[in-house]
Amino acid sequence: MPIRRFTVASLLCSFGLTLAAEVALADPMPPAPVAADKPAPVGDDVVVAARRWLKGDLDGRSDLETLAAKGRSDAQEMLGELMGPSGPSELRDEIAACQWFAKAAAFRSDSLHNFAHCTEKGVGGTPDLAHAATLYLQAAGEGYAKSMCALGNLYVAGRGVRKDELKGAALCRQGAELGEPDAQTDLGNLYLQGIGVPHDMVQARHWYERAAAQGQANAEFTLGQIYWNGDGVPRDQVRAAELWKAAYQGGRVDAAPLLATWLFANWMSSHPKDDVTALDEAIRYQVVAVSLASKGKRADQQNLLLLMREARTAAKKE
């Protein structure tokens, strides 16, 4: 059976999808690994079956479940990913996903991390933060960088472990230095807020930039705000909008109202009024902004959408 180094996330992305009590731990720190989150082997037969299921062929699911029932941890992990929150909504079954992660956890660090996340969330039951911390520690000790900062975040918040912001920041730094984009984003947040590390906008921006270069949507969104406001950098609205667009594509739909407002204002001030390309883009984002608005703010967002549409009608008459 051929195997290759393959990430489940890369398969999902190829289909336009994106992934994501006190305990006496004696304050252990995982050993520093030499590389971050090396993809675990996934068989070609698992990949083929997963692609079939993603295309709507239920025989693909049957094939995956047959392989998983035979103890194939790669099939178990794939089933968990496809049925979990990173998979398509029509396949979603988080309880079943977490059960598959649990089966594969003894054999794969990614499955162990995912099972820890299930345990932290309490999928199918009650959150067990202490046990989640133990599982994250185990995965981190196996070199899984994402688990390092997941454990670090528990320490920062004092969830399931004794609160220790310095220790939490150190764990996130360990994952960030290994190139893990979520850890880089979280470390940027810690520098931005001065939690466990000194408040340092230069360091915050450094880690956001590294995470954004890997397509981390939260980093792109926050970095956009930094450039928009000129926090420690020259103010650059164009760069901010580029980052917000990337963040929006990565799932940060709350970037829509920011983009709509900027595009509309920019069109009003600097574009030929008979060219409505940018205005049409602003309208598309504003439609999303209306759908996201709270009840108290929806009227304002609807009025702005109406204004944009009236401006478009007037421009086409000129």
Side-chain angles (χ1 to χ4, degrees), residues 16-73:
L17 302 164
T18 54
L19 288 180
E22 291 295 316
V23 61
L25 289 179
D27 293 346
M29 288 286 282
V34 295
D37 299 359
K38 289 183 178 179
V42 176
D44 286 344
D45 50 353
V46 169
V47 174
V48 169
R51 285 177 173 158
R52 289 171 60 198
W53 190 17
L54 283 167
K55 292 178 180 179
D57 183 351
L58 293 180
D59 286 341
R61 174 176 181 169
S62 297
D63 290 348
L64 281 175
E65 290 176 337
T66 297
L67 293 168
K70 293 178 180 178
R72 286 278 298 277
S73 62

Side-chain angles (χ1 to χ4, degrees), residues 268-310:
M268 290 289 290
S269 64
S270 61
H271 284 72
K273 295 302 183 286
D274 59 343
D275 180 357
V276 295
T277 303
L279 179 56
D280 285 342
E281 187 179 6
I283 289 172
R284 288 194 294 272
Y285 282 119
Q286 187 59 27
V287 169
V288 176
V290 170
S291 71
L292 296 174
S294 64
K295 185 177 180 179
K297 297 182 178 180
R298 188 165 299 141
D300 290 340
Q301 294 295 340
Q302 288 172 330
N303 288 336
L304 180 55
L305 178 59
L306 178 61
L307 180 62
M308 291 179 181
R309 286 173 169 164
E310 289 175 344

Side-chain angles (χ1 to χ4, degrees), residues 26-191:
D27 293 346
M29 288 286 282
V34 295
D37 299 359
K38 289 183 178 179
V42 176
D44 286 344
D45 50 353
V46 169
V47 174
V48 169
R51 285 177 173 158
R52 289 171 60 198
W53 190 17
L54 283 167
K55 292 178 180 179
D57 183 351
L58 293 180
D59 286 341
R61 174 176 181 169
S62 297
D63 290 348
L64 281 175
E65 290 176 337
T66 297
L67 293 168
K70 293 178 180 178
R72 286 278 298 277
S73 62
D74 53 347
Q76 294 163 351
E77 169 66 19
M78 186 69 77
L79 282 163
E81 291 282 2
L82 294 177
M83 300 171 80
S86 297
S89 58
E90 60 270 21
L91 307 185
R92 193 155 302 157
D93 184 341
E94 287 197 58
I95 293 176
C98 290
Q99 290 170 345
W100 287 119
F101 291 142
K103 290 179 182 294
F107 308 100
R108 298 174 61 97
S109 298
D110 51 356
S111 299
L112 179 58
H113 172 86
N114 288 329
F115 180 49
H117 186 62
C118 292
T119 304
E120 180 184 354
K121 291 175 60 180
V123 176
T126 303
D128 187 341
L129 300 177
H131 187 42
T134 300
L135 295 171
Y136 282 136
L137 177 65
Q138 182 181 343
E142 293 175 4
Y144 200 71
K146 190 181 292 291
S147 288
M148 297 171 190
C149 197
L151 178 59
N153 286 330
L154 293 181
Y155 273 104
V156 167
R159 300 175 65 240
V161 293
R162 185 179 66 254
K163 186 178 178 72
D164 188 335
E165 293 178 351
L166 292 175
K167 184 180 185 63
L171 283 161
C172 284
R173 179 182 298 280
Q174 194 173 85
E177 290 178 344
L178 289 168
E180 209 291 306
D182 291 346
Q184 292 170 342
T185 303
D186 289 343
L187 184 58
N189 292 339
L190 294 176
Y191 273 112

Side-chain angles (χ1 to χ4, degrees), residues 181-252:
D182 291 346
Q184 292 170 342
T185 303
D186 289 343
L187 184 58
N189 292 339
L190 294 176
Y191 273 112
L192 184 66
Q193 300 171 65
I195 297 175
V197 291
H199 171 73
D200 189 330
M201 281 299 302
V202 173
Q203 280 294 309
R205 191 172 71 253
H206 166 76
W207 290 111
Y208 287 140
E209 293 278 11
R210 289 186 62 177
Q214 300 187 69
Q216 215 288 346
N218 294 328
E220 291 165 336
F221 185 90
T222 306
L223 196 56
Q225 292 177 308
I226 288 173
Y227 278 102
W228 181 269
N229 295 320
D231 291 333
V233 294
R235 192 176 185 195
D236 188 339
Q237 293 185 349
V238 173
R239 175 64 174 147
E242 291 173 348
L243 287 160
W244 285 336
K245 286 182 180 181
Y248 180 87
Q249 292 298 320
R252 285 298 300 261

